[in-house]
């Protein structure tokens, strides 16, 4: 069952797919061959060419020392205490035997590198419902979040720790905003999202999320860090002033992990601020209501706790929690038609999710997943939500937005999903609580981190040059990036 779901999701990589629900597949579909099984379940760790990555190379030289029964046992039972998962729960004995036999055949040649176009300016995209031309707006480093000010300027975060201003004419101001609090940049952390108060014209509040080191651990070789949210203002000289804390966890929640800080901001119409915090690499946090990690939080604009939050009366629960059981959510958006809150989150190894977030619900991380994770065998459980759609192999979804402007008529009310590993921008057609169609708008301009609609009604997208396998740059390194926009043609 888990396998057929994953195989179906893998097929979404083709340009357009219609399906009624993510969890249905015709029983007559042929069983997947071992090469496909390996690509879907193993290649992410062992490499498509079996040359290794997160897991060891599975070459003949290594495996010659193992008998087939050992290989089958390793695949079925995993290797406890390592990242090698047990597949006994999701693959049949026949499939496991086929995989073990497949490992004895010559490894396929390294697949061609993902095409990457470092200068997309002027590229024309012919898509299902709209043709667009890519325009580069500004170049900067590992951009993470952006927001437009009412005067047309754009604020953009660079993950290494800089808040940049793009003038109305598109010029990137050379000097970053000065006077930000100390930011700990490393691995997934740094300066992350930026948002403005819905009533910004009157109060000037700007919200920033970032990772900081616990002052008590700054002398440690690996400082303990955590996601923080603040607000402040820009003065006439573009200096950061008036800092107020919106969210800061107790020191005991800071960890030496460098992963999964979240953290996307989204205001609702009533002035509540939603923001996401990842589980910081320990999935137990996601199920623990006493921990702020692995949660979507909801606060008032000043950081105080709304009285109608779901866990305000639960003993020991963090009162800002809105939903839990999340791994690393990096995207939040309102559906303009239904008013539902949509979210994207990174899965462990495959199993990236798009969810509808509802008050007090448990999204299952730590217990269930559509991806591979040691310690997780199930894909569903009572009282835990299922994703609307999920992605295996991974696309590493980050920022998402619904389009409600009028510049691309065929895209009205579509959900746009950026993907880091997938280097892609996806368009999802949504009807109620279902994704009815998907399209990849591009997949070759680099890691795609965020997408927002500008005041001109155009989609603006943050890109970063690829990292990780085959690029010569570590997966979480900072690299050059840019802001692009999609200009409709005709
Ligand atoms: C999340 C990462 C991950 C995934 C997914 C994964 N592996 Fe592994 N695998 C590992 C790691 C790590 C090891 C090394 C374990 C150890 O230290 O002994 C390993 C070890 C193995 C070994 C033992 C090699 C030896 O020397 O005996 C085999 C065989 C193997 N994996 C096959 C598979 C197959 C087949 C799949 C897919 C069905 C798969 N693995 C999926 C991470 C992974």
């Amino acid at each position: 069952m888990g396998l057929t779901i994953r195989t179906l999701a893998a097929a979404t990589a083709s340009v357009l797919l219609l399906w009624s629900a993510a969890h249905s597949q015709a029983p007559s579909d042929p069983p997947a061959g071992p090469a496909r099984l390996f690509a879907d379940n193993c290649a992410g760790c062992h490499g498509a060419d079996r040359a290794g990555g997160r897991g060891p190379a599975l070459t003949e030289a290594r495996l010659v020392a193992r008998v087939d029964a050992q290989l089958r046992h390793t695949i079925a039972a995993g290797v406890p205490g390592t990242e090698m998962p047990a597949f006994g729960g999701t693959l049949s004995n026949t499939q496991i035997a086929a995989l073990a036999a497949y490992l004895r055949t010559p490894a396929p040649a390294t697949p061609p590198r993902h095409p990457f176009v470092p200068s997309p300016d002027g590229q024309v995209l012919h898509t299902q419902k709209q043709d667009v031309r890519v325009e580069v707006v500004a170049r900067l480093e590992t951009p993470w979040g952006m927001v437009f000010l009412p005067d047309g300027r754009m604020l953009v975060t660079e993950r290494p720790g800089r808040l940049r201003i793009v003038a109305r004419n598109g010029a990137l101001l050379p000097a970053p905003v000065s006077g930000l609090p100390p930011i700990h940049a490393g691995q997934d952390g740094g300066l992350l999202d930026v948002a403005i108060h819905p009533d910004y014209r009157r109060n000037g509040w700007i919200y920033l999320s970032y990772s900081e080191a616990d002052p008590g651990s700054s002398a440690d070789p690996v400082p303990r860090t955590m996601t923080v949210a603040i607000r402040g203002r820009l003065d006439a000289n573009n200096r950061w002033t008036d800092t107020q804390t919106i969210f800061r966890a107790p020191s005991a929640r800071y960890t030496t992990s460098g992963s999964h800080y979240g953290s996307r901001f989204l205001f609702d119409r009533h002035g509540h601020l939603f923001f996401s915090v990842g589980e910081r690499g320990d999935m137990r946090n996601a199920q623990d209501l006493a921990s702020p990690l692995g949660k979507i939080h909801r606060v008032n604009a000043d950081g105080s706790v709304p009285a109608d939050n779901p866990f305000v009366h639960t003993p020991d629960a963090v009162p800002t929690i809105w939903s839990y059981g999340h791994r690393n959510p990096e995207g939040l958006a309102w559906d303009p038609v239904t008013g539902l809150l949509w979210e994207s989150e990174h899965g462990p190894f495959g199993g990236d999710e798009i969810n509808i977030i509802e008050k007090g619900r448990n999204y299952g991380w730590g217990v269930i997943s559509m991806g591979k994770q040691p310690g997780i065998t199930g894909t569903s459980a009572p009282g835990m939500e299922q994703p609307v759609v999920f992605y295996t192999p991974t696309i590493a979804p980050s920022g998402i937005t619904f389009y409600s402007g009028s510049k691309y008529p065929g895209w009205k009310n579509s959900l746009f999903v950026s993907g880091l590993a997938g280097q892609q921008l996806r368009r999802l057609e949504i009807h109620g609580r279902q994704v009815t169609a998907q399209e990849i708008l591009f997949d070759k301009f680099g890691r795609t981190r965020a997408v927002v609609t500008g005041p001109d009604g155009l989609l603006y997208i943050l890109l970063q040059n690829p990292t990780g396998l085959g690029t010569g740059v570590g997966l979480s390194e900072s690299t050059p990036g840019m802001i692009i926009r999609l200009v409709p043609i005709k």
Side-chain angles (χ1 to χ4, degrees):
M1 148 83 175
L3 173 79
T4 55
I5 291 172
R6 277 193 304 277
T7 309
L8 176 66
T12 62
S14 63
V15 165
L16 181 79
L17 236 187
L18 284 159
W19 75 94
S20 53
H23 310 118
S24 65
Q25 187 183 32
S28 59
D29 282 3
R36 187 52 185 274
L37 283 176
F38 189 86
D40 288 353
N41 294 283
C42 324
C45 286
H46 292 289
D49 53 1
R50 296 183 227 154
R54 240 167 105 182
L58 297 177
T59 51
E60 191 193 349
R62 181 180 178 113
L63 298 185
V64 72
R66 321 272 185 265
V67 298
D68 284 357
Q70 277 176 308
L71 292 183
R72 290 196 299 267
H73 178 78
T74 303
I75 299 167
V79 182
T82 76
E83 285 206 288
M84 173 63 198
F87 289 89
T90 45
L91 299 183
S92 69
N93 286 342
T94 317
Q95 289 172 318
I96 289 171
L99 273 170
Y102 173 72
L103 294 180
R104 303 288 190 199
T105 64
T110 311
R113 275 248 300 277
H114 208 82
F116 168 58
V117 177
S119 293
D121 207 21
Q123 293 255 333
V124 170
L125 308 176
H126 299 284
T127 79
Q128 300 264 326
K129 298 192 171 168
Q130 178 69 54
D131 289 350
V132 292
R133 194 182 64 246
V134 175
E135 260 181 35
V136 173
V137 176
R139 293 185 178 264
L140 55 187
E141 187 186 339
T142 316
W144 207 98
M146 67 181 145
V147 69
F148 284 88
L149 299 178
D151 64 12
R153 288 182 300 165
M154 199 191 301
L155 296 178
V156 190
T157 60
E158 291 178 302
R159 199 184 62 190
R162 294 177 296 268
L163 180 60
R164 307 295 299 267
I165 300 173
V166 178
R168 229 153 56 136
N169 65 5
L172 177 71
L173 301 197
V177 170
S178 61
L180 294 188
I183 292 165
H184 175 88
Q187 198 176 329
D188 299 348
L191 182 57
L192 302 174
D193 207 12
V194 57
I196 57 172
H197 191 287
D199 211 3
Y200 173 86
R201 278 177 201 278
R202 266 191 39 229
N203 59 36
W205 287 121
I206 297 165
Y207 292 73
L208 293 177
S209 65
Y210 60 96
S211 50
E212 70 167 14
D214 184 57
S217 77
S218 45
D220 299 355
V222 183
R224 298 183 314 111
T225 60
M226 180 53 193
T227 315
V228 181
I230 60 169
R231 69 177 180 181
R233 295 185 174 97
L234 278 190
D235 73 9
N237 300 311
N238 294 332
R239 279 185 308 235
W240 183 261
T241 62
D242 304 336
T243 302
Q244 293 181 355
T245 298
I246 298 300
F247 169 83
R248 181 172 267 115
S251 166
R253 298 295 175 188
Y254 285 53
T255 97
T256 52
S257 158
S259 69
H260 304 174
Y261 294 91
S263 53
R264 200 63 71 178
F265 286 132
L266 185 69
F267 274 97
D268 71 9
R269 283 186 201 155
H270 311 286
H272 300 121
L273 175 65
F274 290 80
F275 61 91
S276 60
V277 176
E279 42 62 302
R280 310 297 321 287
D282 182 344
M283 65 179 184
R284 291 168 302 185
N285 291 322
Q287 290 295 320
D288 180 3
L289 287 174
S291 165
L293 312 181
K295 310 294 181 323
I296 310 276
H297 296 264
R298 177 189 188 243
V299 294
N300 295 314
D302 63 358
S304 62
V305 180
D308 59 346
N309 267 9
F311 300 109
V312 284
H313 301 302
T314 307
D316 301 329
V318 177
T320 52
I321 294 174
W322 183 254
S323 64
Y324 65 111
H326 299 292
R327 188 170 179 274
N328 190 25
E330 287 192 358
L332 290 173
W334 295 112
D335 183 331
V337 176
T338 60
L340 291 168
L341 176 58
W342 290 66
E343 175 242 27
S344 74
E345 94 180 49
H346 296 280
F349 167 69
D352 297 336
E353 299 181 354
I354 303 291
N355 291 302
I356 294 173
I357 299 299
E358 286 169 307
K359 180 177 177 174
R361 300 261 173 104
N362 181 351
Y363 290 80
W365 179 239
V367 182
I368 57 172
S369 176
M370 298 298 182
K372 286 279 162 225
Q373 169 78 4
I376 295 188
T377 51
T379 55
S380 67
M384 295 188 186
E385 304 305 312
Q386 291 286 296
V388 181
V389 287
F390 64 93
Y391 299 99
T392 301
T394 187
I395 63 166
S398 190
I400 62 175
T401 198
F402 280 89
Y403 183 70
S404 44
S406 53
K407 286 288 165 64
Y408 329 98
W411 292 358
K412 187 125 185 147
N413 299 327
S414 285
L415 176 63
F416 291 81
V417 175
S418 64
L420 299 165
Q423 295 194 43
Q424 58 185 242
L425 185 67
R426 269 181 192 246
R427 185 179 68 84
L428 277 57
E429 290 184 10
I430 311 284
H431 288 278
R433 305 176 68 98
Q434 301 282 327
V435 174
T436 52
Q438 295 194 47
E439 173 186 22
I440 297 172
L441 298 181
F442 59 73
D443 63 357
K444 55 185 177 189
F445 302 146
R447 292 164 68 77
T448 308
R449 176 71 72 176
V451 49
V452 307
T453 306
D456 52 6
L458 302 183
L459 285 174
Y460 285 72
I461 298 137
L462 298 183
L463 302 173
Q464 178 200 352
N465 286 1
T467 60
L469 224 61
T471 63
V473 183
L475 182 64
S476 51
E477 296 286 294
S478 182
T479 52
M482 67 186 88
I483 308 168
I484 60 166
R485 66 179 168 207
L486 304 183
V487 180
I489 302 175
K490 88 177 182 283

